[in-house]
Amino acid sequence: MTAAPHVPVNLADRLSRFSDLWSQKTVAGVNDYEVKIAKLKGEFVWHRHEDTDELFLVISGRLTIRLRDGDVVLEPGELFVVPRGAEHCPVADEETAILLLEPAGTLNTGDAGGPLTKAAEPLD
Amino acid sequence: MTAAPHVPVNLADRLSRFSDLWSQKTVAGVNDYEVKIAKLKGEFVWHRHEDTDELFLVISGRLTIRLRDGDVVLEPGELFVVPRGAEHCPVADEETAILLLEPAGTLNTGDAGGPLTKAAEPLD
């Protein structure tokens, strides 16, 4: 699952290789952290990650992260870190591509579980 | 140094706030990792980070990362992770803006030291 040496990860290229929504694809590792990309549309589930912060960077589209005390809206080129333990619910009115960073093994639905729970998949 | 709650980090805006080269500015934290931005032009020094991988993502411009067994060239929207222990030397022929991710406290010149050594600075 590791890219060949000395070949950069082109995010646009990687995004062109899949179309399923709310499915995180691992594109790189930094120590025990994973860099993941995903395509979102619609509303996810409220959840929290008890043990980790979670970074969202919007590549294209527009992402609203609902938090219990207000929303944050991310345009392309904007990032936001949801603090550990903070309940949040990602919502995208249009199809939105994001980059995520968090420790390897962090589940997409955090403490909530349910049918949308899915482990990140490698994307070579 | 922490941004106000629910305000995203706009990378273009943050990049407009400084002009010094080879000076890392911290824009977010993820657990004990730092997200930093920097502007590069010219050639840095060969160095290595014995204890950590280092992620480079090019925002604008073009970055060559020289490695002992070959170069990797990053265009905007491309990322590369230099493995821990690997000697590398960043080079930018034109002014280039990058995002970096690595554990907090990682020094820019790694094991090399020297006059270009500079701790990351917060950028609110």
Side-chain angles (χ1 to χ4, degrees):
Chain A
M1 64 173 280
T2 303
H6 306 179
V7 177
V9 173
N10 182 296
L11 293 173
D13 170 68
R14 292 300 198 282
L15 286 164
S16 75
R17 299 187 191 183
F18 68 97
S19 58
D20 49 332
L21 300 173
W22 303 108
S23 177
Q24 299 177 357
K25 314 296 185 186
T26 304
V27 296
V30 182
N31 304 322
D32 55 348
Y33 280 63
E34 283 181 341
V35 179
K36 301 178 283 189
I37 55 175
K39 294 179 177 180
L40 316 180
K41 188 175 182 184
E43 183 171 335
F44 201 57
V45 291
W46 280 95
H47 66 284
R48 74 179 96 196
H49 304 284
E50 292 292 357
D51 298 324
T52 183
D53 301 339
E54 183 173 43
L55 180 145
F56 294 81
L57 169 65
V58 169
I59 300 168
S60 65
R62 181 182 166 100
L63 176 67
T64 299
I65 302 174
R66 292 188 183 149
L67 297 148
R68 287 302 185 192
D69 57 354
D71 295 348
V72 58
V73 179
L74 304 185
E75 305 281 351
E78 293 187 332
L79 64 87
F80 185 77
V81 177
V82 175
R84 67 178 70 194
E87 283 187 291
H88 59 285
C89 179
V91 180
D93 291 333
E94 60 184 288
E95 186 169 306
T96 294
I98 64 168
L99 181 150
L100 288 154
L101 176 88
E102 57 200 347
T106 304
L107 270 185
N108 60 340
T109 54
D111 67 320
L116 292 174
T117 301
K118 192 173 180 188
E121 302 171 331
L123 184 70
D124 289 330
Chain B
M1 66 175 280
T2 304
H6 306 179
V7 177
V9 172
N10 182 296
L11 293 173
D13 171 67
R14 291 302 197 283
L15 285 164
S16 75
R17 299 186 191 183
F18 69 97
S19 58
D20 49 331
L21 300 173
W22 304 106
S23 178
Q24 300 177 356
K25 315 296 186 187
T26 305
V27 297
V30 182
N31 303 322
D32 55 348
Y33 280 63
E34 284 181 340
V35 179
K36 301 178 283 189
I37 56 176
K39 294 179 176 180
L40 317 179
K41 187 175 182 184
E43 182 170 336
F44 201 56
V45 290
W46 281 95
H47 65 284
R48 75 180 95 199
H49 305 284
E50 291 292 356
D51 298 324
T52 183
D53 300 339
E54 183 173 44
L55 180 144
F56 293 81
L57 169 64
V58 169
I59 300 169
S60 65
R62 180 183 167 99
L63 176 67
T64 299
I65 303 174
R66 293 187 183 150
L67 297 148
R68 288 301 185 192
D69 56 353
D71 296 348
V72 58
V73 178
L74 304 184
E75 306 282 352
E78 293 187 331
L79 66 86
F80 185 77
V81 177
V82 176
R84 69 178 67 195
E87 283 188 292
H88 59 286
C89 179
V91 180
D93 291 332
E94 60 184 289
E95 186 169 305
T96 294
I98 64 167
L99 181 151
L100 288 153
L101 176 87
E102 55 199 348
T106 303
L107 271 185
N108 60 341
T109 53
D111 67 320
L116 293 173
T117 302
K118 192 174 179 188
E121 302 171 330
L123 183 72
D124 287 330

